[in-house]
Amino acid sequence: MLIFLSLIEDENNKNKFIEIYEKYKGIIFAICVKITKNYHLAEDATQITFYRIAKYVEKISGLDETQQKTYISKIAKSAGIEVSKKENRFFSYDISTQYSLSENDNLQEEYISKDEYNHIINFILNMDEKYRDVLILNYVVGLSAKEIAGALDKPLGTVQTQLKRGKDLVKEKFKELNIK
């Protein structure tokens, strides 16, 4: 944060930046993770976002809370897309690549398994946001409950509850699709 503060000359604007940083750091990181689908790329995008916020802190701090959140979210989204494009990963990440079948499975079983897997992934992607985000951050990005709580700026207990309930919903979907 010191690097960003060094970009700001006015002491009043430095204080405004610190307030914005503390208030939005979790939201910004969560947006960047969602866009980049990669923890390390999200960190880079978050840094770019804070650089841009520092550059325009006077303008941003003059907005009301809703406008401020919207503006900062757009900056974070833009930074995430920019970093993803540089890494040739934007919209090319196939979540199904996380699933691999053993070489012993025959083609028909592989097709059925991938089909079932795609149903589960689509189910997760269409879940309520509070469950979807924590499940994706946990299973796809690989964050722990504690890291998710920090990224989303939520209490650890809330994240753990959302993970458990989200897992329960996925288990119900497994039963519905007759997957063990």
Side-chain angles (χ1 to χ4, degrees):
M1 181 164 55
L2 292 175
I3 292 174
F4 302 123
L5 290 174
S6 68
L7 299 170
I8 305 168
E9 293 179 17
D10 182 34
E11 196 63 37
N12 194 23
N13 285 338
K14 286 183 181 188
N15 291 332
K16 290 175 182 179
F17 177 82
I18 292 170
E19 284 178 36
I20 291 170
Y21 180 88
E22 291 300 322
K23 187 173 187 178
Y24 294 107
K25 64 184 176 187
I27 293 170
I28 290 170
F29 184 72
I31 290 168
C32 292
V33 166
K34 192 171 185 178
I35 298 293
T36 63
K37 311 271 190 280
N38 179 297
Y39 183 85
H40 299 291
L41 291 177
E43 288 177 332
D44 293 345
T46 300
Q47 295 300 312
I48 291 169
T49 302
F50 281 117
Y51 169 78
R52 291 176 181 162
I53 290 171
K55 201 171 169 183
Y56 299 105
V57 69
E58 193 167 354
K59 178 181 178 182
I60 294 169
S61 64
L63 302 172
D64 69 39
E65 189 172 338
T66 304
Q67 291 173 325
Q68 198 176 64
K69 188 174 183 178
T70 302
Y71 190 77
I72 290 171
S73 296
K74 286 181 182 180
I75 294 172
K77 182 179 178 184
S78 173
I81 291 170
E82 181 181 316
V83 168
S84 293
K85 282 184 177 179
K86 284 182 182 176
E87 291 291 322
N88 295 323
R89 295 176 186 240
F90 186 65
F91 292 130
S92 66
Y93 181 81
D94 182 10
I95 204 165
S96 65
T97 60
Q98 297 293 316
Y99 181 74
S100 63
L101 295 166
S102 70
E103 293 177 15
N104 297 333
D105 293 336
N106 69 35
L107 192 59
Q108 184 179 6
E109 288 175 356
E110 182 177 335
Y111 176 77
I112 292 169
S113 298
K114 282 186 177 180
D115 187 48
E116 291 171 340
Y117 177 76
N118 287 331
H119 282 298
I120 296 298
I121 295 303
N122 286 331
F123 176 73
I124 290 172
L125 293 175
N126 291 314
M127 290 176 87
D128 184 15
E129 184 178 336
K130 64 183 177 183
Y131 301 125
R132 179 189 65 228
D133 291 348
V134 296
L135 288 172
I136 289 173
L137 289 172
N138 185 250
Y139 290 111
V140 177
V141 180
L143 299 180
S144 67
K146 186 176 181 179
E147 291 170 324
I148 294 169
L152 298 178
D153 199 25
K154 291 182 177 181
L156 178 60
T158 301
V159 170
Q160 289 171 329
T161 300
Q162 289 173 341
L163 274 172
K164 182 181 180 338
R165 290 178 182 168
K167 287 176 189 178
D168 290 344
L169 290 170
V170 171
K171 284 178 185 177
E172 287 177 28
K173 188 66 172 179
F174 268 66
K175 288 179 185 175
E176 180 183 311
L177 293 174
N178 210 14
I179 300 173
K180 295 181 182 177

